[in-house]
């Protein structure tokens, strides 16, 4: 019997949120999400074992726990911004990711609790969610590739995103204003590298087209398709 796939469930509002986190922090969040039962009322501390982290990403137990501990401490300081449509107009909220983190030194365990505003974005079944198997992003070493993969599969039904303005895309990928300000560096070191990793390691093949305003690139439009499933021999 093949092992059960771990499925990550994140609302599109959260996927489109503005935040900048490291790869280790993203991995810790995803492992915690896969262990949640999806019931908002019963959510409490999410426990992540170093063994799970090590197995999922092929690192040693020592490396796994050190990465988890550092990621959890950093995550506690992180904030993100998200927007929601309401009857009164667009509502913008700034929230922390987690309300607290706990380390169990002798057990190689990290426990964390998502902040109240994060919980409904992750688990409220009334929201529109994007689903994907955790194994799809297991081999991605770029946090930008993880973010781009999430962004793309939110459009799985069409296989194509609308044009995304450069500033908006940079924000969604978690870039700071002074990260790769030159367009050639942004394309080569962020977009092209992320697309390469997605095409090599996930279940989709992706590409992008540039939109220009005059001579300047104003935005990008992404298209993708599922990879062909190898036929049984």
């Amino acid at each position: 019997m093949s092992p059960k796939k771990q499925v990550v469930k994140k609302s599109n509002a959260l996927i489109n949120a503005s935040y900048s986190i490291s790869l280790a922090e993203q991995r810790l969040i995803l492992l915690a999400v896969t262990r949640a039962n999806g019931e908002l009322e019963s959510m409490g501390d999410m426990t992540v074992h170093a063994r799970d982290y090590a197995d999922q990403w092929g690192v040693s137990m020592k490396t796994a726990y050190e990465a988890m501990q550092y990621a959890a401490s950093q995550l506690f300081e992180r904030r993100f911004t998200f927007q929601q449509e309401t009857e009164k107009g667009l509502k913008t909220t700034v929230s922390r990711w987690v309300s607290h983190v706990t380390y169990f030194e002798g057990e190689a365990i990290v426990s964390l609790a998502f902040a109240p505003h994060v919980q409904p974005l992750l688990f409220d079944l009334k929201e529109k969610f994007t689903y994907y198997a955790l194994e799809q992003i297991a081999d991605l070493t770029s946090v930008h590739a993880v973010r781009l993969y999430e962004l793309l599969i939110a459009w799985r039904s069409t296989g194509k995103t609308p044009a995304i303005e450069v500033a908006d895309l940079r924000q969604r990928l978690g870039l700071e204003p002074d990260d790769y300000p030159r367009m050639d560096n942004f394309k080569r070191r962020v977009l092209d590298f992320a697309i390469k990793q997605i095409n090599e390691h996930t279940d989709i093949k992706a590409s992008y087209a540039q939109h220009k305003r005059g001579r300047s690139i104003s935005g990008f439009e992404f298209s993708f398709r599922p990879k062909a499933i190898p036929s049984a021999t």
Side-chain angles (χ1 to χ4, degrees):
M1 180 182 297
S2 61
K4 182 180 179 182
K5 290 184 178 180
Q6 298 187 77
V7 176
V8 178
K9 180 172 61 176
K10 299 172 72 173
S11 79
N12 289 337
L14 185 57
I15 288 171
N16 292 328
S18 168
Y19 61 88
S20 178
I21 58 176
S22 69
L23 182 63
E25 291 168 72
Q26 177 82 307
R27 287 174 169 178
L28 182 61
I29 290 171
L30 295 178
L31 280 176
V33 168
T34 62
R35 278 147 184 75
N37 61 14
E39 294 296 330
L40 182 60
E41 294 79 9
S42 61
M43 281 186 65
D45 285 10
M46 306 290 170
T47 299
V48 180
H49 296 260
R51 170 55 61 195
D52 296 329
Y53 190 104
D55 290 345
Q56 185 68 52
W57 283 288
V59 298
S60 68
M61 282 284 289
K62 181 176 184 295
T63 298
Y65 183 67
E66 289 177 349
M68 286 169 49
Q69 187 177 34
Y70 178 75
S73 64
Q74 290 292 105
L75 197 58
F76 182 73
E77 301 299 330
R78 299 289 193 188
R79 299 179 182 183
F80 72 95
T81 304
F82 64 96
Q83 295 181 319
Q84 296 168 302
E85 292 286 352
T86 71
E87 294 180 354
K88 297 181 179 180
L90 193 63
K91 179 176 71 174
T92 301
T93 302
V94 180
S95 172
R96 288 185 181 274
W97 270 98
V98 296
S99 60
H100 66 266
V101 294
T102 305
Y103 314 114
F104 297 86
E105 297 286 351
E107 300 180 57
I109 291 174
V110 168
S111 178
L112 57 88
F114 288 109
H117 277 99
V118 178
Q119 294 177 11
L121 292 179
L122 289 169
F123 304 111
D124 188 347
L125 297 180
K126 294 180 181 179
E127 295 285 346
K128 179 181 179 183
F129 287 104
T130 295
Y131 292 82
Y132 62 94
L134 189 59
E135 66 184 28
Q136 295 302 329
I137 52 90
D139 293 328
L140 301 181
T141 58
S142 162
V143 69
H144 308 310
V146 176
R147 293 297 310 278
L148 183 57
Y149 178 80
E150 290 183 328
L151 190 158
L152 294 182
I153 63 170
W155 298 90
R156 192 186 289 276
S157 62
T158 62
K160 187 177 183 179
T161 73
I164 305 172
E165 292 288 319
V166 171
D168 188 19
L169 179 61
R170 288 177 56 87
Q171 195 173 52
R172 294 191 195 190
L173 295 178
L175 293 173
E176 299 293 339
D178 57 349
D179 291 340
Y180 312 111
R182 288 171 53 96
M183 180 57 69
D184 58 341
N185 285 337
F186 170 66
K187 287 171 57 180
R188 178 170 55 87
R189 303 186 66 178
V190 178
L191 282 190
D192 291 343
F193 187 71
I195 290 288
K196 182 175 183 291
Q197 287 211 333
I198 288 170
N199 289 345
E200 288 181 353
H201 301 298
T202 74
D203 57 346
I204 61 174
K205 295 281 286 187
S207 60
Y208 65 81
Q210 300 174 171
H211 285 238
K212 288 191 173 183
R213 189 174 295 123
R215 292 186 175 183
S216 300
I217 297 174
S218 60
F220 294 87
E221 182 179 294
F222 297 88
S223 58
F224 63 97
R225 55 179 173 77
K227 288 179 180 175
I229 300 175
S231 59
T233 56

